Amino acid sequence: MCREPGPPEVRGSARSARGRRARGRARRRARARGRRPPPRAAAPATSLRSTGRTVRRVAAAPDALTPQEREIARLAASGLTNRQIGSRLFLSPRTVGGHLYRVFPKLGISTRAALRDALTERERATASAAPHDDAAYGVS
């Protein structure tokens, strides 16, 4: 095993300095050959965090429930407690609560009592949005 001398901070900064030099050489070689240089790497999140700026991820559908969230919401709507849901899905009750915490704003509700109605309404909207053409499946 090859180890670099010095404390971890020095080793890390030396590695990143070597990387910067290597990337600089690659860019210069590309320009000398008349090619486009390789793109610069995006700033890591830690660098942005230190400046106070943040990177926001754009979701395709911000209100879309993940399969895990859908299953937990379905079980909660049927009247099960977080502990019961957790034992069925091999999750801790706290994890179940975290999923429900993210589900409520996505469904536009704030109580567990409204969960069943919101899921039923959501399923109806999804079912009516999908075209049902029996002829396409050979059913007459």
Side-chain angles (χ1 to χ4, degrees), residues 36-92:
R36 274 179 53 178
R40 294 186 187 271
T46 54
S47 298
L48 287 175
R49 195 176 311 123
S50 65
T51 64
R53 298 182 66 194
T54 58
V55 176
R56 293 188 181 178
R57 286 185 270 162
V58 177
D63 62 342
L65 297 179
T66 65
Q68 184 82 334
E69 288 171 343
R70 264 195 311 273
E71 181 64 15
I72 290 172
R74 187 184 63 77
L75 291 171
S78 71
L80 297 178
T81 65
N82 288 2
R83 182 174 284 171
Q84 292 168 330
I85 295 168
S87 66
R88 285 191 182 192
L89 300 178
F90 304 102
L91 299 170
S92 76

Side-chain angles (χ1 to χ4, degrees), residues 117-131:
D117 297 333
L119 288 177
T120 306
E121 182 181 313
R122 188 178 180 89
E123 288 172 6
R124 262 192 241 128
T126 305
S128 65

